[in-house]
Amino acid sequence: MNKIAYIQCPTGISGDMCLGALVSLGVPVEYLIAKLNGLGIEQEYQLRAELVQRNGQQATKVHVDLLHNHYHHHHDREHSHHHTRHLPEIEGMIIKAGLPSQAEAWSLAVFQQLAVAEGAVHGISPEKVHFHEVGAVDAIVDIVGTCLGLDWLGIASNQEGLPLLYCSAFPTGGGTVRAAHGQMAVPVPAVLKLWEMRGCPVYSNGIDRELVTPTGAAIATTLARDFGSPPAITIKQIGLGAGTINLPIPNILRLWLGESASLQANFSDSEATSSNLETISVLETQIDDLSPQAIGYVFEALFAAGALDVFTQAIGMKKSRSGILLTVICHPENLLSCEAVVFRETTTLGIRRTTQQRAILQREIQQVETEYGKVRVKIAWKGQSPEKVIANVQPEYEDCADLARKHNIPWREIQRLALQRWYLVNA
C-alpha cells in the first residue's frame, strides 16, 4: 500500500505549522533535533513542541526559538559572515549534513524553488538571493525539518522522486505585513510568484492576515503533486499543526495521512508501478438524426481539439430509431474544447461527462530504416529498467501507408519489414 499525505490548510500554511502537524503524527522531536544538528547551526536556535488550544481545539505548536545572544558577538569572526546566507551556502550545509537521501533531495528542491521565486521578484538570479540571518535559520529548520518528517513517515515517492503529497487550495489572506523592505501587501510577492509557478488554486476566506508564508508556500508548491480536493485515500491518521496567532476559525493545518484507496490496492505492487494511472475525461452522447458524412467530420475536428480517442457504436433508440453513441476520451484540460466541437458539429442537446482513471503503459517512438524509407515505431513497456518488459511494438500506420502508396507495395508488407528491422536492431 502506498502512503499518501494531504495538506488541508483552511488558515494557510507556514513552515512551523508543517512541523507541528508532523510531530502530531508521531515524528519524534528528538529525531528532528538529532538530524538537524548535522547542519551546523545548533547554537543558533532551539526546537521544542507543545500542545496548545486554538479556538477550543487542541493542536501541536512547534517553536523554533532563535537564540538571540548569538547575534551580538559581531567581533566573533566565525559568525560575522552569517549575516545573510545565500542559496549556494545553504545547499552546501544541506549536502554536508548527512541527511536521509530523500530528505536531502526534497530540502534542496524546496530551497531551489524558494530562491527562484525570490530571485524573480527582485530581478536577480536564484544564487544571488540572500536569506536574512533570522529568516535563514528559521527557513532552514522549517524546510529541512518538514522534509525529514515526511521521510520519517514513509510517504511514497513518484517516478521523479517527489513525495505523494497533495494540498488543498490556498486562502489568499489580505492586509499588509511588515518586512525587511517596509510594509508589503499580502500575499507577499514571493508567495504570489510560487503560486504562479505552479498555477495554484486560491480563494479568500475573508481573513485579512498573512496566512501563507513564503516558506510554507515553497514547501507546498515544491512537494505537492496536485492542488484542490483530496485524492482517493483511506485515512489512517490526522496530524494537527497550530499556527501562531488566533483567528476567527481555528488556526490549524491538518495533515491527513492515508493509503491509496481500493483503486490501486487491487493491483499487486509490481502491477501498480508497471502501469501509470492517469485521469481522463470521457464525453458521450447519442445521436439519431445526423448524416454519416457529418460524423466523419466530427472525428477530425475532435482530434484537432485534443481528443485522445473517438469512437462510435450503433445503438437502438426510442421510437425504434437506429442511432449512434459517440464517445470521446480526452485529458481533463481539453474537455471544454472537445465538448464545444460536439455541440457545434452535431445535433445533440446534451453531453454526459465522466472522469475516469486509466492505466497506461509507458511508451516512446523510435525510428527504423527499411529499404523503402523511414518508419516510426511505437514501443510500450511495463516496469522500470533494468526489469523493463516490452509489451507492444507497433509501426505507425501513416508512415507504412505513405511508403505503401509511394512504392505500390502492400501495406502489410511495409509493416512486416518495419517490425523485422526493429527486432533485428533490438534483439
Side-chain angles (χ1 to χ4, degrees), residues 91-130:
E91 289 179 330
M93 290 163 62
I94 292 171
I95 290 165
K96 287 205 278 286
L99 302 167
S101 62
Q102 284 200 131
E104 176 186 305
W106 297 346
S107 302
L108 290 170
V110 175
F111 262 108
Q112 175 68 29
Q113 184 111 321
L114 182 54
V116 167
E118 292 277 10
V121 166
H122 298 298
I124 56 177
S125 72
E127 286 64 44
K128 296 235 165 55
V129 169
H130 58 252

Side-chain angles (χ1 to χ4, degrees), residues 171-175 177 184-192 195 202 209-212:
T172 54
V177 63
M184 284 200 292
V186 173
V188 299
V191 168
L192 280 175
W195 286 347
V202 300
R209 298 296 292 258
E210 182 182 28
L211 299 179
V212 175

Side-chain angles (χ1 to χ4, degrees), residues 4 25-26 57 101 111 113 117-118 133 164 185 209 227 285 302 325 343 347 351 356 368 383 403 416:
I4 297 182
L25 281 173
Q57 293 181 26
S101 62
F111 262 108
Q113 184 111 321
E118 292 277 10
E133 66 181 348
L164 292 183
R209 298 296 292 258
F227 303 91
T285 184
L302 282 166
L325 177 65
F343 276 130
T347 50
I351 301 171
Q356 298 181 13
V368 298
L403 294 180
R416 189 186 65 76

Side-chain angles (χ1 to χ4, degrees), residues 74-300:
H74 282 316
H75 52 266
D76 172 354
R77 278 307 311 264
E78 191 203 344
H79 294 296
S80 56
H81 71 279
H82 277 329
H83 214 50
T84 59
R85 289 190 167 100
H86 293 75
L87 180 66
E89 185 190 347
I90 292 174
E91 289 179 330
M93 290 163 62
I94 292 171
I95 290 165
K96 287 205 278 286
L99 302 167
S101 62
Q102 284 200 131
E104 176 186 305
W106 297 346
S107 302
L108 290 170
V110 175
F111 262 108
Q112 175 68 29
Q113 184 111 321
L114 182 54
V116 167
E118 292 277 10
V121 166
H122 298 298
I124 56 177
S125 72
E127 286 64 44
K128 296 235 165 55
V129 169
H130 58 252
F131 298 89
H132 297 282
E133 66 181 348
V134 177
V137 172
D138 237 351
I140 292 166
V141 174
D142 285 347
I143 289 171
V144 178
T146 297
C147 294
L148 280 166
L150 290 169
D151 175 70
W152 187 90
L153 285 172
I155 307 293
S157 294
N158 67 0
Q159 266 92 1
E160 294 127 71
L162 287 163
L164 292 183
L165 179 69
Y166 296 81
C167 182
S168 67
F170 297 97
T172 54
T176 58
V177 63
R178 288 203 59 75
H181 306 283
Q183 293 273 33
M184 284 200 292
V186 173
V188 299
V191 168
L192 280 175
K193 178 52 76 175
L194 287 159
W195 286 347
E196 180 191 38
M197 283 160 67
R198 284 295 306 272
C200 295
V202 300
Y203 65 97
S204 170
N205 60 6
I207 299 175
D208 275 351
R209 298 296 292 258
E210 182 182 28
L211 299 179
V212 175
T213 67
T215 309
I219 290 168
T221 59
T222 308
L223 300 181
R225 307 281 37 82
D226 211 351
F227 303 91
S229 311
I233 55 172
T234 314
I235 292 194
K236 295 293 175 196
Q237 205 188 346
I238 303 287
L240 302 173
T244 305
I245 52 180
N246 278 307
L247 295 172
I249 55 175
N251 188 6
I252 295 173
L253 175 120
R254 311 201 278 192
L255 186 57
W256 308 9
L257 187 60
E259 287 175 344
S260 49
S262 53
L263 181 80
Q264 290 100 319
N266 301 338
F267 301 129
S268 68
D269 274 347
S270 63
E271 269 182 89
T273 50
S274 71
S275 53
N276 298 339
L277 283 173
E278 72 168 358
T279 301
I280 46 153
S281 297
V282 180
L283 300 174
E284 39 168 47
T285 184
Q286 63 275 29
I287 302 168
D288 64 359
D289 52 0
L290 191 62
S291 125
Q293 288 162 314
I295 299 290
Y297 184 79
V298 174
F299 270 62
E300 281 172 41

